[in-house]
Amino acid sequence: MPFTTGREGGPPAAHRPVASLLVANRGEIARRIMRTCRRLGVTTVAVHAPGEETAAHVAEADTAVRLPVPDGRGPVDAYLEPRAVVGAALAAGADAVHPGYGFLSENPGLARAVTGAGLTWVGPAAEAVERMGAKTRAKRIAREAGVPVADALAPEDVRAEHLPVLVKAVSGGGGRGMRVVRDLADLPSEADAARAEAASAFGDPAVFCEPYVPRGRHVEVQVLADAHGTVWTLGERDCSVQRRHQKVIEETPAPGLPDPLRRRLYEAARRMARAIDYTGAGTAEFLVPVSAGGFGDPVFLEMNTRLQVEHPVTECVTGLDLVEWQIRIAEGEPLPEGGPPAPRGHAVEARLYAEDPREEWRPRTGTLHAFDVPAATARFAPLTAPGVRLDSGVEPGDTVGTDFDPLLAKVVAHGHDRRDAVRRLASALATARVHGVGTNRDLLVRTLRDPAFGAAQSRPEQLHTGYLDGGRRTELARPLAGPATERLAALAASLAAAEDARTGATVPAGIPANWRNLASQPHVRRHVVAGGGEVTTAYRALRGAYLPEQDGVRVLSAAPGLVVLEEHGLRRAFHVHRGGGDVHVDSPLGPVTLTPVDPLPEPEAAVDPGALPAPMPGTVTAVDVAVGDRVAEGQTLLRMEAMKMEHRVTAPAAGAVREIPVAAGQRVPAGAPLAVLDYEGVRT
């Protein structure tokens, strides 16, 4: 049985019921916590940085408090001051604080500040958070508890025989402050980059190194423990599909994992929880080597003393509301004597990010003109039957910037088995309407439909933490819509625009826009496809009908928002939506974003061919070259931080540095000049 329970120790000190709770977080996790509070009759308090007054989590709270931003710092820093969070809770009359995940969720200083102010902390004791907060200390505790761990080395102690190694931040997680190093010569610079990223994300620049396992399964065990000595292990989750060491797809149960190995992981997780007197929801994470010969011995990675991003998959198979139980445990309630419910079915979660996998996961910004997952049957709540759940931090009209993590939403599917759940999730993502911001949606759909991913139950070695590396990522990141679909979408966009123009025209109903009794030339429209390329469409409006100049294509109906086309006898509907100057066309063949080409464009200002603009808003963290330096193609010129991740700006060709108009620490908008190069053999 994948769930275990045990009772030790006596009752804790008296606890108080929670009447009003402050969520020390934002986005989808804040909304998720508030949804449970609303159901329990607990009033909610949101916190936010300046400029977030209209954010979705702020709108849903009963009370909202603006947090101050320290001088010279960014919006993220508003969430990183424990005294400000506690002050907000006291000012709003809250009697409890829930940290969510990220920010201060694993900061013992916040836990102590909350309890020191006489408030209820919805999480483990500060001592448990502190003991697990530093990964190097957590490894020592795990070893003492009989849990297998990997060695931790200081960067300066790494030798050639230790390679490859993974540089990791001592504090925090989520892929920040992590670097794979295969050459000793690269270790100093990669360690420095990891320190800078860790300091920015967690306020602690400390890093360490551990052996890197290129083909391993990232498996974690969900723990739920009360203050009366009962510890439950609520099954395991597989989180092996990752990008930049950050999880992308998570599922439970882990496909292909042998039951003896499951039981071994559950026992290790219980030992860790008991070793630190853990209470509340937590997660013990392990790395399990995998090959065609089977699974190797697992090693403990870390224990996250908080709720995990991927907790919904566990909720789906257990029917439990983990946030509710966090609150109940904080109020002193014991876990039921009968043990946890038996698992049912399979659940898979995909993280929908505002980023482009085809360009090294570069963040994407903009305004969400539309955001909808029509297949969703529940929001922020455990599913009671097979279906699709949506936990989102954004709504249509929201602006997506680079100050915070690029996660837009989590889409979760629960099915009778793995195949059922994966199919539901792929379909839900493929039919989602996300307009205005580039996302990783196409990669998610292709991954879920990839035969290698689907075969993980019978061939577990097909799934590992390097799954999205190299050529596979390139293949899976291809747009769902190919050139043929782009041509049909462009035709639909052209006809929808014509119908929209006709709406206000004083012509008899039924007559197409720009109708001619004797059409001598077709109507021609040009569109640029998102990601590159241009599509030209031509059609004639003759005798009350649209006649496209595409072989085998007929127009069955046309309206400003919906065009129905038949291609070689196959009928399909194309939904057309305009927003922000672009045209978004959704169909069963895949989504297409088009930009109409102005037939009479305004002249553009000349651009220096050697100028390298900022690809996104962000902060320059380091400048690696100086004016006059000669650089090689691909050489790093400077580094930027956006959405708490480091992005490197490299030389597109060999040349010499003419200008560096920015400095480390400077915040720059998208498009701002970062460097100017004189390329070899090119006059600029």
Side-chain angles (χ1 to χ4, degrees):
M1 182 176 177
F3 300 107
T4 56
T5 180
R7 186 173 292 279
E8 296 179 4
H15 294 77
R16 295 177 301 175
V18 173
S20 178
L21 181 144
L22 179 141
V23 183
N25 220 290
R26 66 183 301 279
E28 52 86 21
I29 185 55
R31 301 179 77 186
R32 162 71 188 90
I33 295 165
M34 291 175 188
R35 190 64 57 95
T36 291
C37 288
R38 189 176 303 117
R39 185 171 56 79
L40 297 178
V42 175
T43 61
T44 57
V45 180
V47 292
H48 65 90
E52 290 191 293
E53 287 77 8
T54 60
H57 76 283
V58 174
E60 291 192 13
D62 296 304
T63 304
V65 182
R66 185 179 65 194
L67 297 174
V69 175
D71 291 342
R73 308 299 295 274
V76 170
D77 297 287
Y79 292 90
L80 297 179
E81 175 49 59
R83 289 177 297 178
V85 172
V86 173
L90 295 173
D95 51 31
V97 173
H98 192 302
Y101 50 70
F103 297 132
L104 294 172
S105 61
E106 294 179 282
N107 186 309
L110 177 61
R112 290 193 175 97
V114 168
T115 55
L119 306 175
T120 297
W121 170 249
V122 183
E127 291 73 23
V129 176
E130 192 166 53
R131 296 180 75 186
M132 291 293 102
K135 294 182 179 65
T136 48
R137 185 190 301 120
K139 286 176 180 285
R140 290 197 297 269
I141 295 172
R143 187 175 288 109
E144 293 169 0
V147 176
V149 297
D151 292 333
L153 298 170
E156 56 270 21
D157 293 334
V158 174
R159 301 291 180 265
E161 61 268 23
H162 299 134
L163 297 173
V165 296
L166 183 63
V167 182
K168 299 179 70 172
V170 169
S171 302
R176 282 112 177 177
M178 297 178 71
R179 297 289 189 281
V180 177
V181 177
R182 294 180 170 85
D183 190 323
L184 275 180
D186 298 331
L187 184 57
S189 62
E190 294 293 348
D192 286 345
R195 290 187 183 100
E197 199 169 271
S200 175
F202 316 117
D204 180 3
V207 299
F208 68 99
C209 298
E210 66 182 16
Y212 175 64
V213 179
R215 295 183 69 88
R217 291 278 287 274
H218 188 140
V219 182
E220 60 190 28
V221 178
Q222 177 68 60
V223 171
L224 194 62
D226 65 20
H228 304 265
T230 299
V231 178
W232 284 356
T233 51
L234 299 175
E236 84 287 349
R237 298 184 290 255
D238 190 293
C239 310
S240 300
V241 180
Q242 303 179 357
R243 60 92 162 109
R244 299 183 70 168
H245 312 293
Q246 189 166 15
K247 303 162 189 174
V248 177
I249 295 177
E250 304 101 343
E251 58 182 309
T252 186
L257 202 67
D259 284 339
L261 180 53
R262 280 194 174 92
R263 290 191 290 270
R264 187 177 175 186
L265 294 176
Y266 298 159
E267 176 59 26
R270 286 196 303 274
R271 287 186 179 184
M272 286 302 302
R274 295 198 186 284
I276 58 174
D277 297 322
Y278 197 81
T279 57
T283 304
E285 301 200 355
F286 302 88
L287 185 64
V288 187
V290 64
S291 66
F295 291 92
D297 292 329
V299 292
F300 172 78
L301 293 176
E302 61 181 319
M303 185 164 183
N304 292 299
T305 54
R306 54 173 168 80
L307 197 66
Q308 290 282 90
V309 178
E310 57 273 18
H311 76 275
V313 295
T314 297
E315 293 185 324
C316 286
V317 298
T318 63
L320 296 173
D321 184 328
L322 292 181
V323 173
E324 176 180 349
W325 273 107
Q326 284 184 298
I327 295 172
R328 289 181 180 275
I329 289 170
E331 292 175 324
E333 183 173 332
L335 291 166
E337 289 278 2
R344 50 189 178 85
H346 197 100
V348 188
E349 172 183 293
R351 301 190 191 188
L352 186 65
Y353 287 112
E355 64 185 12
D356 189 347
R358 293 173 296 177
E359 296 190 19
E360 297 299 324
W361 314 102
R362 179 175 294 176
R364 290 306 187 205
T365 60
T367 299
L368 276 171
H369 300 291
F371 184 82
D372 182 31
V373 182
T377 56
R379 289 175 65 91
F380 301 105
L383 292 165
T384 58
V388 175
R389 165 178 167 175
L390 175 66
D391 287 17
S392 65
V394 294
E395 293 292 337
D398 286 352
T399 298
V400 179
T402 57
D403 289 315
F404 299 101
D405 188 90
L407 180 68
L408 298 178
K410 303 178 304 192
V411 187
V412 189
H414 181 218
H416 299 290
D417 54 25
R418 186 174 189 260
R419 182 174 60 180
D420 182 26
V422 169
R423 180 172 54 203
R424 289 175 187 270
L425 182 55
S427 178
L429 288 164
T431 56
R433 297 177 182 174
V434 187
H435 301 163
V437 177
T439 72
N440 66 333
R441 184 259 300 274
D442 292 2
L443 175 133
L444 295 175
V445 174
R446 287 195 182 277
T447 297
L448 293 166
R449 293 174 175 171
D450 183 30
F453 181 85
Q457 190 70 40
S458 58
R459 297 188 60 189
E461 76 278 3
Q462 299 268 39
L463 194 62
H464 51 83
T465 53
Y467 180 85
L468 289 180
D469 292 346
R472 174 176 276 144
R473 184 193 70 187
T474 302
E475 174 64 21
L476 296 178
R478 289 186 299 110
L480 292 175
T485 300
E486 292 171 354
R487 288 192 293 271
L488 290 173
L491 174 61
S494 299
L495 298 179
E499 284 296 300
D500 188 49
R502 190 182 67 82
T503 302
T506 56
V507 297
I511 296 181
N514 303 316
W515 176 81
R516 299 167 183 167
N517 189 38
L518 295 173
S520 60
Q521 295 293 329
H523 298 283
V524 177
R525 292 179 183 264
R526 295 162 53 215
H527 293 88
V528 174
V529 182
E534 185 176 297
V535 179
T536 300
T537 57
Y539 66 89
R540 297 174 186 269
L542 187 64
R543 297 185 178 90
Y546 289 114
L547 305 176
E549 296 195 345
Q550 293 185 27
D551 290 341
V553 177
R554 289 201 308 140
V555 180
L556 301 185
S557 65
L562 177 64
V563 175
V564 181
L565 302 177
E566 181 185 89
E567 182 189 29
H568 300 297
L570 301 177
R571 175 192 179 281
R572 296 185 180 92
F574 294 79
H575 295 268
V576 182
H577 175 257
R578 298 165 189 79
D582 291 331
V583 182
H584 306 275
V585 183
D586 294 290
S587 77
L589 298 174
V592 178
T593 298
L594 303 162
T595 302
V597 176
D598 189 341
L600 299 173
E602 295 290 333
E604 297 182 356
V607 177
D608 189 324
L612 298 178
M616 69 205 82
T619 301
V620 177
T621 56
V623 177
D624 297 280
V625 295
V627 173
D629 286 355
R630 302 200 66 78
V631 296
E633 179 180 350
Q635 181 176 335
T636 298
L637 305 177
L638 52 86
R639 286 165 276 167
M640 291 181 61
E641 180 192 277
M643 291 185 176
K644 307 311 294 178
M645 300 294 283
E646 182 186 78
H647 305 272
R648 301 192 178 197
V649 177
T650 60
V657 179
R658 191 202 315 166
E659 294 181 43
I660 298 287
V662 295
Q666 182 176 337
R667 290 178 64 86
V668 295
L674 300 177
V676 182
L677 303 183
D678 289 324
Y679 300 116
E680 291 180 357
V682 178
R683 296 184 61 185
T684 59

